[in-house]
Amino acid sequence: MVSNLFITFEGPDGAGKTSALKDIVQRLEQHNIDFLATREPGGIRIAENIREVILNPAYQEMDAHTEALLYAAARSQHFYEKIVPALQSGKHVLCDRFIDSSLAYQGFARALGVDEVLSINEFAIGKRMPDLTIFFDLQPQIGLARIQANRSDEINRLDAESLVFHEKVYAGYEEVLRRYPERIRIVDASKSLDEVTEDVWKILKEVIV
Ligand SMILES: Nc1ncnc2c1ncn2[C@@H]1O[C@H](COP(=O)(O)OP(=O)(O)O)[C@@H](O)[C@H]1O
Ligand SMILES: Cc1cn([C@H]2C[C@H](O)[C@@H](COP(=O)(O)OP(=O)(O)O)O2)c(=O)[nH]c1=O
């Protein structure tokens, strides 16, 4: 029997993390698995309020340092208020985005430095990293096309960035994959949602079901 795990979903915008997590939640419920599903930035009211500030498309003047610190602040509150208690109570935790998003988006794509962003995050949450990260691998232009095709989805300040920015985010994730190969599993997110969900489920079944 495995102990409970802290699992994160990562990948470019539009890769299908949120959609797959919804389907995975249903399967976990059917299997009577004790879990908490949550998301970043957000998950609790203080962090949802910080999310409103970070992602508001009107705030074009936001400095990259401010952005990185706001993500770290939202993460800190979410981590100590929601994730840690859930893990302590024996639940598996599944989180849509976590620290790797900050390393890829702020550290690499915003060029603040992956080590610098890692260090503000260590201040925010200590050295606890996820036990398992599922990386939704998708070329950024496909993710952006998916978001554009479904305009009813919220288009936030980061979605609205250029393709060049999103290509840097992808390169940032490649750097994250190089740094943490032992905890990251890759799924091909260009497949249909059903196939992607199935691939994620196969990985989860190995560790928690
Ligand atoms: N595998 C898929 N193939 C095609 N479209 C998808 C797939 N997964 C999700 N989508 C669609 O792409 C958009 C972005 O999906 P979403 O789950 O919000 O991605 P993310 O959370 O990774 O940004 C949504 O409109 C969703 O319906
Ligand atoms: C958690 C986190 C998210 N982000 C970005 C990624 C997304 O563009 C945005 C979150 O918006 P969201 O709508 O949740 O995007 P997605 O559905 O793709 O997960 O914030 C960062 O830049 N740094 C971070 O640390």
Side-chain angles (χ1 to χ4, degrees), residues 24-35 201 205 208-209:
I24 292 293
V25 159
Q26 287 182 352
R27 293 188 187 208
L28 292 170
E29 282 167 354
Q30 283 158 9
H31 284 75
N32 288 320
I33 289 170
D34 203 11
F35 72 96
W201 184 243
K205 275 207 307 203
I208 65 175
V209 181

Side-chain angles (χ1 to χ4, degrees), residues 150-178:
N150 195 344
R151 302 280 309 194
S152 63
D153 289 0
E154 164 201 30
I155 303 218
N156 65 49
R157 194 171 56 83
L158 278 90
D159 294 331
E161 280 283 351
S162 65
L163 178 57
V164 172
F165 174 79
H166 288 282
E167 279 166 349
K168 285 189 202 153
V169 169
Y170 188 84
Y173 273 121
E174 289 179 317
E175 169 63 22
V176 170
L177 288 165
R178 273 193 293 276

Side-chain angles (χ1 to χ4, degrees), residues 31-204:
H31 284 75
N32 288 320
I33 289 170
D34 203 11
F35 72 96
L36 167 81
T38 186
R39 70 154 180 188
E40 281 205 354
I44 38 100
R45 65 180 186 166
I46 293 175
E48 289 290 339
N49 278 302
I50 297 173
R51 176 188 175 94
E52 294 290 308
V53 175
I54 307 176
L55 295 181
N56 188 334
Y59 295 157
Q60 291 301 317
E61 70 274 33
M62 189 178 291
D63 180 77
H65 298 80
T66 310
E67 184 180 284
L69 289 163
L70 286 173
Y71 278 116
R75 178 163 303 126
S76 181
Q77 185 67 31
H78 181 225
F79 185 70
Y80 289 114
E81 183 181 332
K82 194 167 179 187
I83 294 179
V84 169
L87 289 171
Q88 282 172 347
S89 76
K91 291 183 200 309
H92 296 291
V93 174
L94 287 85
C95 189
D96 189 350
R97 294 194 180 281
F98 194 65
I99 189 168
D100 297 328
S101 288
S102 282
L103 302 181
Y105 283 75
Q106 283 68 51
F108 199 93
R110 296 281 194 222
L112 293 178
V114 174
D115 287 321
E116 284 75 3
V117 172
L118 183 59
S119 104
I120 60 165
N121 275 277
E122 283 179 356
F123 176 71
I125 59 162
K127 288 197 186 288
R128 179 72 154 95
M129 293 298 259
D131 301 306
L132 168 68
T133 296
I134 299 179
F135 176 63
F136 285 61
D137 191 4
L138 187 72
Q139 289 304 311
Q141 64 272 26
I142 303 178
L144 292 181
R146 286 180 183 174
I147 291 169
Q148 287 296 333
N150 195 344
R151 302 280 309 194
S152 63
D153 289 0
E154 164 201 30
I155 303 218
N156 65 49
R157 194 171 56 83
L158 278 90
D159 294 331
E161 280 283 351
S162 65
L163 178 57
V164 172
F165 174 79
H166 288 282
E167 279 166 349
K168 285 189 202 153
V169 169
Y170 188 84
Y173 273 121
E174 289 179 317
E175 169 63 22
V176 170
L177 288 165
R178 273 193 293 276
R179 283 186 181 224
Y180 303 108
E182 69 294 341
R183 73 166 159 87
I184 306 183
R185 300 281 298 269
I186 302 172
V187 296
D188 177 357
S190 68
K191 296 184 190 173
S192 72
L193 177 57
D194 283 350
E195 289 172 304
V196 173
T197 302
E198 201 50 50
D199 288 349
V200 172
W201 184 243
K202 272 188 206 140
I203 294 170
L204 294 183

